[in-house]
Amino acid sequence: MSDVVDVKAGIKNILDRIAIASQNRPKHFTKQVQLVAVSKTKPVEAIIKAYEAGQRHFGENYVQELQEKANSPLILEKCKDINWHFIGHLQGNKVNKIVKFPRLYMIETIDSVKLAESVNSAWQKHRLENDGKLKILIQVNTSGEENKSGIKPEELTELYQHMTEKCTALEVDGLMTIGEFGYDYLKGPNPDFVCLMECAARLPNTEKLELSFGMSDDFEKAIEMGSTIVRVGSSIFGFRPKKE
Ligand SMILES: *Cc1c(COP(=O)(O)O)cnc(C)c1O
């Protein structure tokens, strides 16, 4: 029941915890950590509450749901500076749709040359002149699970090079991973986070890359390991029933 959740207090609580975790980082991590509030399955009223608390970056992982929210008259009226991050698996046949959504800020889940090319040409057609380049993160499959999206770590450099050389409508800002669910931190540092940091170290401009990892259960651990974007949903908006 989202109406009993205090979204504003939730945002403040997470921002406080991000600030503390940022101070606990090794000194060579200097980038400011950005909170993406993951609003999937939650109503626009909850998004507006978070926006009124100062939150500007929001994440959604279904194209259809993002389409409804991004075009919602209430959002368009009350959240003029909202920035949408798409964090779900992007199907090729949805690309022409998603590039038209108002205030689309970043797609965090590009994981193949084919998808990159398709987003690049769609953005070129619809937006390039008005909005400059579209921000992109490359999603890496750090856990090696067959059913997970993301490019294999060993194929990352090739995709990164292809995109920076050929996809001139896109701006590759960094990397993203989801990783294994329910990792037991008693076993040591999360291997998905270790893997993503190793991937980042192999790319040029490592210190400038945005690195998106860490969710409600582990965003502080992620920040201490070098995450610069954390995607937090249930700790802000409350429990989320599983989608059918
Ligand atoms: C749902 C989701 C999150 C947020 O998960 P919480 O555990 O609710 O914080 C983050 N990233 C992705 C890709 C998601 O789908």
Side-chain angles (χ1 to χ4, degrees), residues 23 81 136 141 148 177-178 195 237:
Q23 285 169 2
D81 296 322
I136 295 291
N141 182 349
K148 281 258 164 75
T177 186
I178 297 176
C195 178
F237 296 107

Side-chain angles (χ1 to χ4, degrees), residues 38 40 61 87-88 109 176-178 181 214-217 231-235 238 240:
V38 178
K40 63 186 183 202
N61 68 341
I87 61 172
T109 49
M176 177 269 209
T177 186
I178 297 176
F181 289 110
M215 315 200 284
S216 284
D217 288 342
R231 311 179 306 261
V232 179
S234 45
S235 293
R240 210 175 36 236

